[in-house]
Amino acid sequence: AEEESPSNYHLTVSNALDRMETLIESLLRNARGETQGQEIESVDLTRLSERCWQHIVHDEATVEIDVDQAIYADVLQLTQLLENLFRNAIEHGSQDAVISIGALEDGFYVEDNGTGIPEAERERITERGYSTSSDGTGLGLAIVQEIADSHGWQLRATDSTTGGARFELTGVEFVT
């Protein structure tokens, strides 16, 4: 199709397919518990967050990034982690969710302005297959937990400053 009718859309589709393949391979490695393939490198958290946000399908949701720090992480896994948290905020909150990313003393957080997570459910939300949505897979937050574990980070779900959900990742190594 690209040879017969050149278009910028073909490049967009090709890039999306390459990205899907990379993410699927990374997901499969995680599912099998293979962390030896991690490529830990310096990652600009602001730039990666902005790039991840461009891949999220949303109507009126917005993201506010208030972190100016590079961290050591596997960029593909961190991409999955951020995108899963973004999607989770929209799917379990609202299409006009406001998602914020900010710095912590030893990590960062992703929070939203949704309805939050009842305290009684916070221990279960990262279990594979657990979902409060009838059409949810129960994999998104389980994958977030696995990625945090593979990096040696701690993941904690709590309330956001607006009463929504807040996910704190601590034990993160900053680039000095």
Side-chain angles (χ1 to χ4, degrees):
E2 187 174 11
E3 289 174 9
E4 291 178 20
S5 178
S7 165
N8 287 342
Y9 296 115
H10 293 119
L11 180 59
T12 301
V13 170
S14 178
N15 289 341
L17 290 170
D18 290 344
R19 185 171 174 280
M20 285 173 28
E21 181 179 14
T22 302
L23 288 173
I24 290 168
E25 288 173 4
S26 181
L27 270 172
L28 290 173
R29 278 197 316 271
N30 276 347
R32 292 188 295 257
E34 298 173 6
T35 58
Q36 300 89 337
Q38 280 185 324
E39 294 183 27
I40 303 298
E41 59 188 281
S42 172
V43 180
D44 182 318
L45 192 53
T46 299
R47 282 191 183 148
L48 182 62
S49 297
E50 290 168 348
R51 208 166 60 229
C52 290
W53 185 247
Q54 292 173 356
H55 297 285
I56 301 300
V57 176
H58 58 86
D59 291 325
E60 298 175 29
T62 57
V63 67
E64 299 172 350
I65 303 169
D66 186 25
V67 60
D68 187 22
Q69 190 72 41
I71 65 173
Y72 287 107
D74 180 294
V75 69
L76 292 176
Q77 290 184 358
L78 184 55
T79 297
Q80 285 179 262
L81 181 144
L82 291 170
E83 289 182 4
N84 284 2
L85 290 176
F86 294 165
R87 275 189 216 94
N88 195 69
I90 294 168
E91 291 170 6
H92 293 278
S94 65
Q95 288 297 311
D96 64 348
V98 177
I99 301 164
S100 303
I101 303 165
L104 297 170
E105 186 175 308
D106 64 340
F108 64 96
Y109 66 85
V110 177
E111 68 178 18
D112 63 59
N113 66 339
T115 57
I117 303 165
E119 201 165 333
E121 292 183 31
R122 291 182 187 163
E123 293 296 318
R124 297 195 58 215
I125 59 173
T126 58
E127 293 175 8
R128 279 193 176 273
Y130 181 79
S131 179
T132 58
S133 173
S134 60
D135 59 346
T137 62
L139 294 176
L141 293 179
I143 291 169
V144 168
Q145 181 68 64
E146 289 172 9
I147 292 169
D149 290 345
S150 75
H151 282 78
W153 302 340
Q154 291 75 49
L155 174 67
R156 181 174 87 111
T158 188
D159 292 325
S160 75
T161 55
T162 60
R166 176 175 170 134
F167 294 91
E168 297 180 342
L169 292 127
T170 57
V172 175
E173 184 180 356
F174 293 106
V175 176
T176 54

